Amino acid sequence: MSNKTSGFKRAIGIVLGVITMLVLIALFVVLVMAPIPNIWVDKVAASDNAIDQTVSPTQSETYCPAPIGLADTGTYGDSAFQATVGNLSTQARYAAFGSVYSATVSAIGQKSSSDDVTLKDADSTDDSSVKTGAQKINQGARLINTRMLQAAAGTGTVGTIASWADDGDVRGISAASCVSTSLSQSFLLSDSTTGTTQQLIVSNLSTKPTTVDIAVWGSETAGKMALSTQSTLSVPAEGESSMELSAAVDGQHGLFVTVSSKETPIASVVRTVTMDGLTSKGSDFALPLPTASNASVAPSITAGDAVTAYLFAKADTSTGLSWITAKGLVPAKDATVTADKVTAIDLGEAPDGALGVMSTAEDAVSFSVKATRSGDSGQADFALVNAGEPSEFSGLALPDGVKASITLANTSNARRTVTLRAYDDAGASVTSK
């Protein structure tokens, strides 16, 4: 009898334990799922003493592309007919403005080397001076690492590289500004017809590899194109990968290209080289586009340049193209832009006094131009110019051996006053206007 009683008590204990466990689980679920009663939450009364604080990054990385080059560097066949960059020379200059306390330039993927450049101030006691640095580059891209005391308007680092040659297959001048990183970048490119190579170069400045998606729209039909090569590109950590766009979508009179990374910011440029048989027809870098806009200005046009305009929009729209001159706008051509299709417009030669081209569209469009100048013996060179992005502050660095003119354009209906400040190669302020 005692054994039966003991077994019965044990069974009752097990049942009660299971019930207790179920109750505890139910209570836990209720506590997790149910909203917290207001009486359990501390309340903070609004006060005039509350502080709004804007938090922004004080460190940035900027990508400066390698010198202009050829997509095909093979050494096959007769040496007289092999592609070559000739006597190519490349110079770079960097400048830091505002509250920048440290800016260094190094080769991508290298922690330190004798080629590193530290931007220095001409006079640390002079608030009007800036930090500068320069170097000659034989090969390889560069990374500008900038540290700021605060992220504010007028503070940051700029860089420019310029390559030039008077023989070989890239004779002429090619230049590029250094590019900030982002998750997505877009390009509006010239034609991908026979004789043109357009090498997309994607750089990953982070310590993790990434894969980018590449999408292309052309000039012949509306909609995204099916590529004859891969539509994704693997980019190693602290490295670069490239893709030949002309091989992927040849026979187009203009290309709109997007490069997208899901997690890791990237920097991209496109190296464009054009040949007619063995005759060089020019080369240049294409840089990422600014945000699409209704009113867009492509500067740096000179009288006599043969100019082609490229437009791309996500919706059907129309635009008026005008020459910008010192005396105002001179109508050039009107154009209809089909959604998801590149529109290429031959504007002919720029007239006397031309400084740029303006697009005034009903809807936002992406806009760029190709300005070509002919030389002796059938040779030519061209510049690929994106629409400029309006800004309150901007900076420019000029490499050694380069002369430049600055074009200022105002797309608003109000008169504006702009102050230009110039610095020598050491960073000392020399004049303002």
Side-chain angles (χ1 to χ4, degrees):
M1 188 71 178
S2 60
N3 289 337
K4 291 183 178 180
T5 302
S6 175
F8 179 75
K9 290 180 179 180
R10 188 182 303 111
I12 292 295
I14 292 174
V15 171
L16 290 175
V18 171
I19 293 174
T20 301
M21 181 179 66
L22 293 175
V23 171
L24 289 174
I25 292 174
L27 287 173
F28 175 76
V29 171
V30 170
L31 288 173
V32 171
M33 301 294 293
I36 299 175
N38 289 334
I39 59 173
W40 293 2
V41 180
D42 291 336
K43 297 184 182 297
V44 179
S47 170
D48 291 337
N49 295 325
I51 298 175
D52 289 333
Q53 180 67 47
T54 300
V55 179
S56 54
T58 56
Q59 182 175 355
S60 68
E61 292 182 325
T62 310
Y63 167 77
C64 306
I68 196 72
L70 299 167
D72 185 0
T73 57
T75 56
Y76 45 81
D78 192 320
S79 60
F81 300 98
Q82 290 173 5
T84 172
V85 296
N87 60 344
L88 186 72
S89 178
T90 302
Q91 294 282 348
R93 182 170 295 281
Y94 320 98
F97 302 88
S99 301
V100 173
Y101 72 85
S102 172
T104 58
V105 184
S106 59
I108 293 179
Q110 296 183 9
K111 298 304 180 183
S112 62
S113 73
S114 58
D115 292 333
D116 290 358
V117 174
T118 299
L119 275 60
K120 297 180 179 179
D121 203 324
D123 184 353
S124 58
T125 63
D126 184 0
D127 292 338
S128 65
S129 65
V130 300
K131 292 180 173 65
T132 63
Q135 65 181 155
K136 182 177 181 179
I137 301 175
N138 294 321
Q139 61 182 0
R142 296 296 187 270
L143 166 67
I144 306 177
N145 192 318
T146 304
R147 297 178 183 272
M148 298 163 278
L149 296 174
Q150 60 179 345
T155 292
T157 307
V158 297
T160 305
I161 74 159
S163 300
W164 58 87
D166 57 18
D167 65 14
D169 296 316
V170 289
R171 65 184 67 185
I173 299 175
S174 305
S177 299
C178 299
V179 178
S180 299
T181 58
S182 62
L183 289 175
S184 180
Q185 295 180 330
S186 301
F187 299 87
L188 188 50
L189 307 173
S190 59
D191 61 278
S192 61
T193 53
T194 301
T196 298
T197 59
Q198 294 172 318
Q199 188 180 30
L200 170 67
I201 300 174
V202 183
S203 178
N204 175 14
L205 306 182
S206 76
T207 56
K208 295 181 179 180
T210 188
T211 299
V212 297
D213 296 320
I214 300 169
V216 181
W217 291 258
S219 62
E220 305 309 296
T221 58
K224 189 184 301 184
M225 299 183 66
L227 307 185
S228 57
T229 59
Q230 76 274 20
S231 60
T232 61
L233 195 62
S234 297
V235 189
E238 297 181 323
E240 295 177 306
S241 294
S242 64
M243 173 181 175
E244 179 51 56
L245 294 172
S246 299
V249 283
D250 63 346
Q252 302 294 311
H253 295 286
L255 299 175
F256 182 80
V257 181
T258 63
V259 184
S260 304
S261 174
K262 293 181 179 179
E263 297 179 355
T264 304
I266 46 92
S268 309
V269 298
V270 177
R271 296 196 300 194
T272 301
V273 179
T274 300
M275 298 285 294
D276 182 6
L278 300 177
T279 303
S280 172
K281 290 296 183 179
S283 60
D284 202 10
F285 294 93
L287 301 178
L289 291 165
T291 304
S293 175
N294 296 70
S296 305
V297 171
S300 305
I301 303 299
T302 304
D305 289 347
V307 179
T308 303
Y310 300 92
L311 301 120
F312 183 83
K314 287 297 183 179
D316 291 344
T317 189
S318 60
T319 186
L321 298 173
S322 304
W323 300 107
I324 298 176
T325 72
K327 297 181 179 179
L329 297 178
V330 177
K333 285 186 178 180
D334 294 330
T336 298
V337 181
T338 302
D340 292 334
K341 181 181 178 183
V342 176
T343 300
I345 302 171
D346 183 0
L347 297 180
E349 288 192 358
D352 291 342
L355 300 171
V357 181
M358 182 171 184
S359 166
T360 308
E362 295 178 355
D363 299 285
V365 299
S366 295
F367 176 49
S368 71
V369 301
K370 178 182 179 182
T372 303
R373 192 171 302 177
S374 298
D376 297 333
S377 303
Q379 295 176 16
D381 198 12
F382 59 84
L384 302 176
V385 184
N386 287 340
E389 190 163 25
S391 59
E392 184 178 359
F393 293 91
S394 62
L396 173 67
L398 296 178
D400 291 345
V402 173
K403 295 182 179 180
S405 60
I406 296 176
T407 302
L408 302 176
N410 175 13
T411 59
S412 73
N413 294 322
R415 187 179 181 87
R416 304 294 185 189
T417 300
V418 178
T419 300
L420 296 176
R421 293 184 175 87
Y423 306 86
D424 62 17
D425 56 1
S429 178
V430 292
T431 187
S432 65
K433 183 177 182 179

